[in-house]
Amino acid sequence: MLVLFETAAGYAIFKVLDESKLQEVDSLWKEFETPEKANKVVKLKHFEKFQDTTEALAAATAMTEGKMGKSLKKVLKKVVAKEAHEQLAISDAKLGGVIKEKLNLSCVHSPAVAELMRGIRTQMESLITGLPPREISAMSLGLAHSLSRYKLKFSPDKVDTMIVQAISLLDDLDKELNNYIMRCREWYGWHFPEVGKIITDNLAYCKSVRKIGARTNVATTDLSEHLPEEVEAEVKLAAEISMGTEVSEEDIGNIMHLCDQVIEITEYRTQLYDYLKNRMMAIAPNLTVMVGELVGARLISHAGSLLNLAKHPASTVQILGAEKALFRALKTRRDTPKYGLIYHASLVGQTSAKNKGKISRMLAAKASLAIRYDALGEDTNAEMGVENRAKLEARLRHLEEKGVSSSLSAPYSDRSLRNGNQPSRVTQVRNGEKMNPLPLIFIWFH
């Protein structure tokens, strides 16, 4: 029996000298307690050293993926193929299937083989001659660093991480902006309270305060750049009869600095939103078309990654974000929630209250398909999302029209005879026909 043993320095082929020792799996470790005992069990037949770190990285990557690299194929053809009658002991059963398929070699993977590999690893320095221990240690460290960088570079989740960080930062910026703007309005309101009710837009308010400064400067300040003419005139009129208190130049300076912070954060938030929108269209275009970039990013953030979100069924996607309400409802035996984060999607928002549950369920089903298509598919277009959204919009219109028509249903009358319907009791009596009496029908007139 031959043994294929992988190291950071290269591939080693060992010859098992006494195969009877492999039958005693529990006591096999005793045969590798010392280098002398180990040399009586296995003997090095061939060692193929890697030329550089690039070759070692390619071989290690192929091994982790269960594939046969070029260097391994070369070694097996050169050494093992000459003794095709021998069995080849390997550590990975998946790799054994590939070797058997391509090279027609008999491969073995069993608990005894795993214990044998463990024993060889403990006495590797004495079994593999010609490699100093320091060199093997340096090669192992270099390969570990290269493999870590490779996995980080080609990780399918790394782009999802950017989306998760961006949406988290966007939510944090919204909270900070609300606190800053509230503080700015309250602070400047002591000096000029009337302007807070006149200018409702927060960014325009901060820019106007930044340009006005003290209340006495309103008459000579041109605010047409930030405000419409009628609003500007209203602000100047309010400044003449304002009930605010007088403040010092130092107070005005601090308020101006706060306004600068609000303006800068607002501009950065706009830039971050554009970045998030572009990333979502690049990574999950179909999900973005279905629920929007903000809701889609929050779903990915809540699940951890796009791949994790693709593993969730549609029913989980529907209530994702409403876990507390779900478990509370299960505990108290009440109705479970019909929607979570998906409630903020535009399709759900434009639906009437009684149809929100239906639309949420249908949207979650289609969004689940879109998520899997984005995560596992090879195409990067949004055709599937556009098609499914059109179907949902048509279904939404049908539900809304059905609700309107049912509320405006006409009373049952003689005109229904023209459509082939059953005549009413009144018609039968009036025509003097002797028919079986129909059950009474209670009609609600609207």
Side-chain angles (χ1 to χ4, degrees), residues 192 194-196 198-199 208 212 215 218-219 223 227-242:
F192 192 1
E194 292 80 7
V195 73
I198 298 172
I199 306 176
S208 301
I212 293 172
R215 184 184 61 212
V218 175
L223 300 175
L227 302 175
E229 293 183 4
E230 59 275 8
V231 177
E232 182 183 2
E234 194 174 351
V235 169
K236 291 184 176 181
L237 180 62
E240 299 177 359
I241 57 174
S242 176

Side-chain angles (χ1 to χ4, degrees), residues 194-213:
E194 292 80 7
V195 73
K197 295 181 179 179
I198 298 172
I199 306 176
T200 56
D201 184 70
N202 293 324
L203 183 60
Y205 178 86
C206 291
K207 288 182 177 180
S208 301
V209 170
R210 182 73 183 82
K211 197 164 187 180
I212 293 172

Side-chain angles (χ1 to χ4, degrees), residues 78-245:
K78 182 165 49 174
V79 180
V80 182
K82 295 179 182 179
E83 301 181 17
H85 61 282
E86 293 274 4
Q87 286 185 327
L88 180 65
I90 56 170
S91 58
D92 187 8
K94 186 178 179 181
L95 178 63
V98 177
I99 293 174
K100 187 175 183 180
E101 181 183 351
K102 292 189 176 181
L103 300 179
N104 197 21
L105 295 174
S106 178
C107 298
V108 180
H109 175 72
S110 64
V113 172
E115 192 68 26
L116 179 64
M117 294 286 185
R118 192 177 295 112
I120 294 174
R121 190 171 291 108
T122 57
Q123 299 295 338
M124 182 174 60
E125 296 176 2
S126 61
L127 292 173
I128 301 177
T129 57
L131 279 178
R134 183 176 295 179
E135 186 177 349
I136 294 179
S137 177
M139 287 180 175
S140 300
L141 184 62
L143 179 60
H145 288 172
S146 301
L147 191 60
S148 300
R149 282 194 297 268
Y150 174 83
K151 285 189 174 182
L152 183 65
K153 182 178 180 181
F154 293 97
S155 172
D157 297 333
K158 70 181 190 302
V159 186
D160 301 342
T161 306
M162 303 302 168
I163 292 176
V164 171
Q165 297 296 333
I167 191 63
S168 300
L169 179 58
L170 196 67
D171 292 338
D172 292 341
L173 286 178
D174 287 338
K175 293 177 183 177
E176 292 299 323
L177 269 176
N178 287 335
N179 291 333
Y180 279 22
I181 290 168
M182 182 180 66
R183 182 63 54 203
C184 182
R185 284 180 174 271
E186 186 176 350
W187 199 351
Y188 193 70
W190 286 100
H191 178 59
F192 192 1
E194 292 80 7
V195 73
K197 295 181 179 179
I198 298 172
I199 306 176
T200 56
D201 184 70
N202 293 324
L203 183 60
Y205 178 86
C206 291
K207 288 182 177 180
S208 301
V209 170
R210 182 73 183 82
K211 197 164 187 180
I212 293 172
R215 184 184 61 212
T216 54
N217 300 330
V218 175
T220 58
T221 304
D222 183 18
L223 300 175
S224 58
E225 184 180 352
H226 309 302
L227 302 175
E229 293 183 4
E230 59 275 8
V231 177
E232 182 183 2
E234 194 174 351
V235 169
K236 291 184 176 181
L237 180 62
E240 299 177 359
I241 57 174
S242 176
M243 300 293 292
T245 60

Side-chain angles (χ1 to χ4, degrees), residues 320-344:
L320 206 63
E323 289 82 4
K324 288 185 179 180
L326 173 66
F327 292 121
R328 186 170 59 247
L330 293 175
K331 187 176 180 180
T332 57
R333 298 180 181 275
R334 295 183 178 178
D335 293 338
T336 55
K338 296 180 180 178
Y339 29 67
L341 292 170
I342 208 169
Y343 177 81
H344 301 286

Side-chain angles (χ1 to χ4, degrees), residues 354-365:
K354 69 174 184 178
N355 291 328
K356 284 186 185 294
K358 291 182 180 179
I359 290 297
S360 296
R361 186 176 66 251
M362 291 186 288
L363 179 60

